[in-house]
């Protein structure tokens, strides 16, 4: 961790040599063996407590065995390339107060679904680029200050739910000057769900018009890509699951869940 004495906060930092882009010698093998990371809400030093509010650039870069990570609720930013090439990381829970996700944060990751909270207004260049297993995406923010180039390029994107009050605009040029679209032609097999009043605007947008279907948000209810889950026959009630197949007792409003093998958004 690094400590910000002025603001009284802490940041998780990586052990990567930023010049050579290689891990420090002592952990060159160990990082590949890490499967689970639990970042505490707070750390203490010399009797003072610091809330963890950020995860630094390249912090878990190439942690290819990482399957599970707990991100503290007070984290506001995820650094650039933070989870790049985390091939075993199939899901992650992003905290409600998160504000920014850095460039290439989940580049070439193993994510299958991502629910981006409404507090996020900044998503950097290539954030989910080449995360080829990513099929379900929810953008909950009503507006965006920045959506980088190639954010979702080469993701599978079977279902994409966007709550924005206006059609989001993407940057197209990266820092290297290369132009890259937000999506590639894989979206021609997927469905985009947006506010009904904006459907025609999405269809007219060069960035968004390539989807197979563009439907109103309340139409989002599909079994595509989800295996049917059995109900609790002993109780004769249907169990509600999150996207990782874990039973949920109290669904959160606007959360994405599965019931009787079908996806739905809790109201």
């Amino acid at each position: 961790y690094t400590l910000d004495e002025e603001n009284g906060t802490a940041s998780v930092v990586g052990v990567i040599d930023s010049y050579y882009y290689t891990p420090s010698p002592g952990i060159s093998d160990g990082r590949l063996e890490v499967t689970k990371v639990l970042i505490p809400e707070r750390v203490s030093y010399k009797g003072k407590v610091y809330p963890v509010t950020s995860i630094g650039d390249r912090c878990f870069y190439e942690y290819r065995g990482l399957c599970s990570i707990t991100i503290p609720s007070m984290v506001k930013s995820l650094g650039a390339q933070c989870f790049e090439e985390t091939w075993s990381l199939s899901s992650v829970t992003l905290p409600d107060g998160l504000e920014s996700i850095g460039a290439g944060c989940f580049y070439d990751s193993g994510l299958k679904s991502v629910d981006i909270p409404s507090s996020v207004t900044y998503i950097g260049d290539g954030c989910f680029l080449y995360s080829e297993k990513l099929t379900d995406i929810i953008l909950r923010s009503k507006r965006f200050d920045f959506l980088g180039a190639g954010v979702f390029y080469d993701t599978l994107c079977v279902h994409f739910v966007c709550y924005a009050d206006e059609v989001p605009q993407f940057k197209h040029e990266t820092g290297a000057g290369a132009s890259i679209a937000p999506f590639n032609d894989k979206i021609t097999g997927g469905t985009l769900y947006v506010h009904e009043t904006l459907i025609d605007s999405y269809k007219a947008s060069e960035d968004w018009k390539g989807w197979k279907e563009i439907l109103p948000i309340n139409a989002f209810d599909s079994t595509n890509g989800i295996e049917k889950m059995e109900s609790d026959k002993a109780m004769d009630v249907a169990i509600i699951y999150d996207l990782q197949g874990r039973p949920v007792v109290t669904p959160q409003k606007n959360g994405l869940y599965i019931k009787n093998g079908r996806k739905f958004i809790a109201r």
Side-chain angles (χ1 to χ4, degrees):
Y1 304 91
T2 58
L3 305 178
D4 184 335
E5 293 287 352
E6 182 177 350
N7 295 310
T9 59
S11 175
V12 183
V13 294
V15 286
I16 300 270
D17 181 328
S18 61
Y19 184 78
Y20 292 104
Y21 287 166
T22 56
S24 301
I27 59 92
S28 58
D29 295 323
R31 69 177 174 150
L32 301 180
E33 299 170 3
V34 174
T35 60
K36 183 177 182 180
V37 172
L38 173 60
I39 301 174
E41 295 279 344
R42 298 172 178 81
V43 295
S44 60
Y45 180 70
K46 292 185 177 181
K48 187 175 179 180
V49 177
Y50 300 81
V52 178
T53 58
S54 64
I55 300 178
D57 294 350
R58 300 174 65 83
C59 200
F60 297 99
Y61 174 75
E62 286 189 346
Y63 275 61
R64 292 173 179 169
L66 182 63
C67 299
S68 171
I69 184 164
T70 300
I71 299 177
S73 62
M74 287 182 281
V75 166
K76 302 293 184 184
S77 64
L78 301 178
Q81 298 176 279
C82 192
F83 298 100
E84 181 174 332
E85 293 190 26
T86 51
W87 296 341
S88 299
L89 188 65
S90 61
S91 66
V92 63
T93 300
L94 302 178
D96 287 339
L98 186 68
E99 297 173 355
S100 66
I101 307 177
C105 186
F106 292 98
Y107 177 101
D108 195 16
S109 73
L111 286 182
K112 296 179 180 179
S113 64
V114 64
D115 191 334
I116 302 173
S118 60
S119 51
V120 173
T121 59
Y122 181 101
I123 302 178
D125 291 346
C127 187
F128 299 94
L129 182 67
Y130 299 135
S131 290
E132 297 178 347
K133 297 179 180 179
L134 187 55
T135 61
D136 293 86
I137 300 169
I138 299 180
L139 291 183
R140 297 192 180 276
S141 182
K142 301 297 184 183
R143 64 170 183 83
F144 292 94
D145 295 329
F146 183 85
L147 285 173
V151 174
F152 302 107
Y153 192 87
D154 215 26
T155 58
L156 188 55
C157 278
V158 177
H159 304 110
F160 195 116
V161 186
C162 184
Y163 283 86
D165 287 336
E166 298 179 355
V167 178
Q169 302 297 309
F170 293 90
K171 173 190 170 187
H172 280 257
E173 287 190 0
T174 64
S179 180
I180 183 169
F183 309 98
N184 69 345
D185 57 9
K186 288 184 179 180
I187 66 172
T188 57
T191 303
L192 173 65
Y193 301 87
V194 299
H195 291 304
E196 188 169 9
T197 56
L198 296 176
I199 288 177
D200 288 341
S201 297
Y202 277 94
K203 289 180 177 180
S205 168
E206 288 297 321
D207 286 336
W208 293 95
K209 69 180 184 180
W211 293 84
K212 178 182 178 182
E213 292 184 293
I214 302 179
L215 302 175
I217 289 176
N218 60 14
F220 180 68
D221 186 8
S222 174
T223 60
N224 289 347
I226 298 295
E227 295 180 1
K228 185 175 182 180
M229 299 184 179
E230 297 296 328
S231 63
D232 186 343
K233 294 180 181 178
M235 296 291 290
D236 197 28
V237 295
I239 297 176
I240 296 174
Y241 299 86
D242 63 16
L243 292 183
Q244 287 72 55
R246 298 170 298 199
V248 175
V249 176
T250 307
Q252 300 298 307
K253 185 177 180 181
N254 291 327
L256 178 59
Y257 301 99
I258 303 167
K259 182 178 180 180
N260 289 331
R262 298 179 65 82
K263 289 183 183 178
F264 74 97
I265 296 177
R267 303 297 182 186

